[in-house]
Amino acid sequence: MDVTLHLAQDPEADELLGRSPLAALVGMLLDQQVPMEWAFKGPRTIADRLGASDLDAHDIAAQDPEAFVALLSEKPAVHRYPGSMAKRIQQLCHYLVEHYDGEAELVWKGVDDGRELLRRLEELPGFGKQKAQIFLALLGKQLGVRPRGWREAAGAYGEPESFRSVADITGPESLTKVRAHKQEMKAAAKAAKAGGKS
């Protein structure tokens, strides 16, 4: 894996995401309740604070939980909820160590069926169906991981140029389109909720 991603809109953070399967997974895990760029900048911040050039699942899994929370909580915090996210990142790394020998790339390497890959992603701690589908779309659209039926397995996120998620962000212009789509979805959900109350 060695591509240039533009998810953090920060060259050093994006460089790590493009070469490190674990960094990409951790960025996806952090992508909730904070701006996308903040979430995807997280892996680089964690690596820097650990004094490393990459994230290592064995190393993170072995960290003292309280020390790891403190590491994510340092200003600027890696996430709005550094405590719960530190726990989730360690759970993810424990799972990768247990099931994939700590190699995040083995989650998708050699998988030739999109549905199977989606199942594997959904089994990761912190990955529900939507997050798994978005990550599957990111793998297919930007990281060259395209098992048979990957677009179908990724649902609407797999559609070409759908601008629904991080899978479609390749620069500032597409980021604006994805943001606009998310705002439309929020507004529609809010309207539906308000409509249901009357």
Side-chain angles (χ1 to χ4, degrees):
M1 208 169 106
D2 197 6
V3 297
T4 302
L5 293 176
H6 300 278
L7 306 180
Q9 304 287 305
D10 171 285
E12 288 184 359
D14 282 328
E15 185 274 331
L16 177 61
L17 294 169
R19 71 176 159 81
S20 168
L22 180 56
L25 274 179
V26 169
M28 191 74 229
L29 184 67
L30 290 167
D31 187 22
Q32 57 191 54
Q33 298 174 306
V34 292
M36 285 177 279
E37 303 94 313
W38 185 4
F40 283 97
K41 203 172 180 175
R44 182 65 199 224
T45 305
I46 295 167
D48 287 347
R49 289 178 186 175
L50 288 170
S53 61
D54 194 357
L55 297 182
D56 180 295
H58 290 97
D59 179 41
I60 291 173
Q63 292 283 323
D64 172 72
E66 285 181 21
F68 196 61
V69 168
L71 185 105
L72 267 71
S73 303
E74 262 178 52
K75 300 277 187 261
V78 170
H79 195 275
R80 182 180 290 157
Y81 303 108
S84 59
M85 282 304 171
K87 189 177 173 185
R88 284 188 182 181
I89 292 168
Q90 283 197 295
Q91 285 171 340
L92 174 65
C93 289
H94 278 292
Y95 183 89
L96 291 171
V97 167
E98 201 177 309
H99 297 270
Y100 296 101
D101 198 27
E103 298 294 327
E105 192 175 22
L106 294 181
V107 174
W108 55 85
K109 198 171 184 177
V111 178
D112 59 6
D113 179 76
R115 284 189 311 262
E116 167 63 12
L117 179 48
L118 180 65
R119 185 189 67 72
R120 285 178 170 215
L121 290 168
E122 283 185 66
E123 285 176 350
L124 296 175
F127 278 66
K129 183 169 187 182
Q130 184 184 34
K131 198 176 277 287
Q133 285 187 313
I134 291 171
F135 195 78
L136 176 54
L138 177 66
L139 285 171
K141 290 179 176 183
Q142 296 199 48
L143 298 173
V145 177
R146 301 182 178 110
R148 182 182 65 252
W150 72 270
R151 282 193 190 275
E152 294 74 14
Y157 302 107
E159 293 168 10
E161 296 187 20
S162 57
F163 300 108
R164 291 173 188 272
S165 72
V166 297
D168 294 291
I169 296 173
T170 54
E173 193 181 318
S174 48
L175 173 65
T176 304
K177 289 181 182 177
V178 169
R179 221 174 235 134
H181 174 78
K182 286 190 166 198
Q183 284 166 346
E184 280 172 32
M185 298 308 288
K186 271 185 186 164
K190 205 172 176 181
K193 202 173 177 183
K197 283 180 183 172
S198 55

